[in-house]
Every structure is written in C-alpha cells, then in structure tokens.
Amino acid sequence: MTKADAAKLVAIVVTAYPNYDKFRDEAAVTATVNLWASMFQSDDGRIVALALNKHIATNKWPPSVAEIRELMLELMHPDLIEPDRAWLAVSDLLYTAGENNHGDLHQQLPPLAARAVEAIGYCNLYEMHRSCYRGGKPGMDRVAFMDIYKPMYEREKQRAMTPEGLTSQIDAVASAIPDKGQHLLADREQARREHDDTMNRITYGWSRRALEAADAPLELTDGEVKS
C-alpha cells in the first residue's frame, strides 16, 4: 500500500469519526498517515480497505493498526481458526469418529487444531470426552484442548499480524542468535511426522494384504469339493 493509499484511508477514518478530537489536529492526522503507510506498506491496499470498512461498520471508535491487522486475518489467513470454532471441529470429530479413529488428523481438522490434538493424543482426548458418561467431570476434553490450542493460536496470530517486512527483520536477527531449543522443537516434530508415515505405510500394507486375501478365491486341496 502506498502513502497515497494510506492518506485516502485515513481521510475515510476522519470522516467516519468526526467527533474524535485527535483528528482535529493536522499534525496528528499527518502522523497517522505516515504510520499507516509504514505499517501497511507490504499489504494489498484493497485488503486494508476492506478491513477498515468492517471496523467502521462495527465499532464506535477509530481503529488502531493492530485492530485493522486483526481484521485482515479473516481475509488473508482463513486457516487460522479461533479457539471456540476449532473446538467445535474437534468436538464433532470426537463424536463422529469415535474411539478408534484411524484417519489422518491433518486431513480431518485445520492444521493448528490437528497439531493440538496430536500434542494431547487423540486417545487421551477421547478418554476425557467419554469420561463424563462414567462419572467423570464433564468438559475436561475441552479444557485440555483449549490449554494447548490457545497459546498456539495466539503465537500464530501475532506472527500473521506482524507486517511482512518487520517479520523478515525479526527472523534475520533471530537466525543470527544460536538457539538449539528451536531446532530441537523442529526436529521432534519432523521425527513424529516420519514415524507417522512409517506406521501408516505398515497399516496400509497390512490392510491391503487382508483385503487381497479376502477377495482371493479359495484354493481346494485334493479331495475337497467346492460348496
């Protein structure tokens, strides 16, 4: 988005909120234009405008940069699902797939929700899910999921909201600092993926052989008569 685009959007804000005292100061308006031009320089002006229009339609006060960027998430990162909606998807999966869910969580759930369920363990989560029917405390499955998912969601949300140029600068600084912990986290997740792939291949191979055996015609030994 160019500075000219920023000036047009700020003019819309000034018009939409005529009673906001800060906008009566020309220097403050100019500073706002400069700030928006800087914070949205790597973004599509049309997306910023849509987010601004939604804010104007739903809020009584002028938007901050963070509020605009948060609204932009809906358009730019639809796979980043809010915690309550993510839990609905997980709850539906627990209800429909049941205890013996042999499907790929990353095909059944949004990416971040699938990772959270992996961290808990599907079987562990399902045990919490059905414990209320056996005298356990209801809602423990939701609590366990939210405890894992919410921090993950907030980290991804903050990263997605950060301007691209600023993110690149932060990553450049971070990469220059030795951090064995981050590499270990990545290594552990990669090892899990490789293990899952291996187990899936074994399971698929066993299932295929079982189906082939079931479909194969019976071989009769000498003296046997086919019924």
Side-chain angles (χ1 to χ4, degrees), residues 5-15 23 29-30 32-33 36 52:
D5 293 330
K8 292 177 183 178
L9 294 181
V10 171
I12 293 173
V13 174
V14 172
T15 303
F23 291 151
V29 174
T30 300
T32 301
V33 171
W36 282 36
L52 174 60

Side-chain angles (χ1 to χ4, degrees), residues 68-119:
I68 294 296
R69 298 204 69 86
E70 189 169 22
L71 290 172
M72 290 168 62
L73 285 179
E74 299 176 11
L75 300 171
M76 300 175 65
H77 298 275
D79 58 331
L80 192 56
I81 310 298
E82 297 91 337
D84 58 333
R85 294 176 58 209
W87 167 245
L88 287 176
V90 173
S91 178
D92 289 341
L93 179 64
L94 292 169
Y95 179 78
T96 56
E99 180 178 6
N100 300 311
N101 177 23
H102 300 298
D104 182 355
L105 289 173
H106 288 269
Q107 298 296 324
Q108 298 171 321
L109 294 169
L112 206 61
R115 186 68 181 120
V117 173
E118 282 182 340

Side-chain angles (χ1 to χ4, degrees), residues 21-214:
D21 291 341
K22 183 178 179 180
F23 291 151
R24 296 174 183 174
D25 182 356
E26 184 177 347
V29 174
T30 300
T32 301
V33 171
N34 292 334
L35 176 63
W36 282 36
S38 173
M39 297 303 292
F40 297 112
Q41 63 178 339
S42 59
D43 297 299
D44 187 333
R46 294 169 297 180
I47 301 297
V48 181
L50 284 173
L52 174 60
N53 287 336
K54 181 173 182 178
H55 180 93
I56 291 172
T58 57
N59 287 271
K60 298 178 181 179
W61 303 101
S64 65
V65 169
E67 287 173 320
I68 294 296
R69 298 204 69 86
E70 189 169 22
L71 290 172
M72 290 168 62
L73 285 179
E74 299 176 11
L75 300 171
M76 300 175 65
H77 298 275
D79 58 331
L80 192 56
I81 310 298
E82 297 91 337
D84 58 333
R85 294 176 58 209
W87 167 245
L88 287 176
V90 173
S91 178
D92 289 341
L93 179 64
L94 292 169
Y95 179 78
T96 56
E99 180 178 6
N100 300 311
N101 177 23
H102 300 298
D104 182 355
L105 289 173
H106 288 269
Q107 298 296 324
Q108 298 171 321
L109 294 169
L112 206 61
R115 186 68 181 120
V117 173
E118 282 182 340
I120 301 168
Y122 181 86
C123 291
N124 293 334
L125 193 61
Y126 188 80
E127 283 299 316
M128 299 178 207
H129 173 70
R130 70 176 182 179
S131 66
C132 63
Y133 302 109
R134 299 180 298 181
K137 186 176 180 180
M140 294 307 297
D141 50 349
R142 184 181 187 279
V143 171
F145 175 79
M146 288 297 192
D147 283 348
I148 294 292
Y149 187 83
K150 282 184 177 180
M152 297 171 65
Y153 171 78
E154 289 300 327
R155 281 194 298 271
E156 292 298 320
K157 177 182 174 181
Q158 288 180 12
R159 183 173 180 84
M161 286 175 59
T162 305
E164 184 178 331
L166 182 56
T167 298
S168 298
Q169 294 176 33
I170 293 172
D171 288 345
V173 172
S175 64
I177 302 174
D179 188 354
K180 188 176 181 181
Q182 294 296 328
H183 291 298
L184 288 175
L185 288 174
D187 290 345
R188 295 287 65 77
E189 183 171 357
Q190 179 62 28
R192 180 179 188 134
R193 296 279 170 263
E194 293 173 355
H195 179 74
D196 284 346
D197 289 343
T198 299
M199 296 306 297
N200 287 337
R201 285 195 297 271
I202 292 173
T203 302
Y204 174 75
W206 179 87
S207 299
R208 185 178 62 181
R209 288 193 295 272
L211 289 173
E212 290 173 350

